[in-house]
Amino acid sequence: MLNRKESLAEIMAIDAEERAARLSYVNLTEADCKLLRQFKPVIEKNADMIVDTFYENLSRYPELIKIISQAGSNIDRLKITQKRYLLDIFDGNFDKAYFESQLKIGVIHKNIGLTPRWYLGGYSIYLQLINPLIIRKYWYSPAKALLLLPTLTLYWMMSSTSVCQNRK
């Protein structure tokens, strides 16, 4: 029986050491987190555009709209959640609470039948929208910032697919 006081990470046996290993594996450092925090004002300024464009793309796929509708949600509601998710990323704080929220998102995706095909593809849209903002802000030296997003994307993928791979 499931102990409701246990976190998803505890149920899946993902402890602080495992979370640290995942960050280390993709080489996501405190310096990277600082860079994310420095870039957050740009994301805040452009968050509505990023989220609107993300869902404009999603809306082109009837299968996704059907999944969202059958789950009892809608695009407007998801835009609010997606904006919060986007801004949280640029807090650069990948602690236990953040990881737990990623696992919860993974559980929701799994429960509504949203397969990795769809949500992993969404990261491509984020990269396409955020990379030009990075280039504009760091035009004089965009390399480190541009390398950070793929690293962060791989970390998101590792976190979100943990639920799909968990056997417990």
Side-chain angles (χ1 to χ4, degrees):
M1 175 162 269
L2 187 68
N3 179 349
R4 295 196 181 265
K5 292 186 179 188
E6 285 182 304
S7 70
L8 286 170
E10 290 167 336
I11 292 166
M12 296 171 61
I14 300 172
D15 59 11
E17 186 177 331
E18 172 62 17
R19 287 191 315 275
R22 290 174 184 219
L23 290 169
S24 174
Y25 186 68
V26 297
N27 198 28
L28 190 61
T29 66
E30 182 51 43
D32 295 327
C33 293
K34 181 179 178 184
L35 187 58
L36 285 170
R37 289 188 288 273
Q38 290 171 350
F39 195 66
K40 187 171 183 176
V42 175
I43 295 299
E44 288 172 329
K45 181 178 175 184
N46 291 279
D48 288 329
M49 177 277 296
I50 292 167
V51 170
D52 287 345
T53 305
F54 180 88
Y55 280 102
E56 282 171 23
N57 181 66
L58 182 147
S59 295
R60 296 182 7 228
Y61 299 91
E63 183 179 340
L64 286 173
I65 299 301
K66 182 178 177 183
I67 290 169
I68 291 166
S69 177
Q70 288 176 339
S73 195
N74 61 58
I75 298 291
D76 290 333
R77 189 180 312 157
L78 291 174
K79 282 182 177 183
I80 294 166
T81 304
Q82 191 68 227
K83 183 176 178 180
R84 187 174 44 245
Y85 170 76
L86 177 64
L87 294 173
D88 286 350
I89 292 164
F90 287 87
D91 283 340
N93 183 12
F94 303 106
D95 60 5
K96 182 179 181 176
Y98 178 84
F99 192 78
E100 185 70 19
S101 75
Q102 295 304 293
L103 292 175
K104 286 178 183 175
I105 290 168
V107 167
I108 291 167
H109 286 170
K110 185 176 181 179
N111 289 343
I112 67 171
L114 186 67
T115 62
R117 163 189 175 204
W118 294 113
Y119 64 82
L120 294 179
Y123 295 122
S124 173
I125 304 303
Y126 264 156
L127 291 172
Q128 292 172 42
L129 295 168
I130 296 170
N131 278 339
L133 300 173
I134 290 173
I135 291 169
R136 250 182 267 140
K137 172 140 177 91
Y138 297 106
W139 59 269
Y140 51 90
S141 180
K144 177 61 178 163
L146 285 174
L147 291 173
L148 176 57
L149 276 184
T151 299
L152 189 57
T153 301
L154 291 171
Y155 180 71
W156 296 330
M157 289 176 183
M158 286 170 47
S159 300
S160 63
T161 59
S162 292
V163 173
C164 295
Q165 297 170 348
N166 188 268
R167 306 272 190 253
K168 292 190 178 201

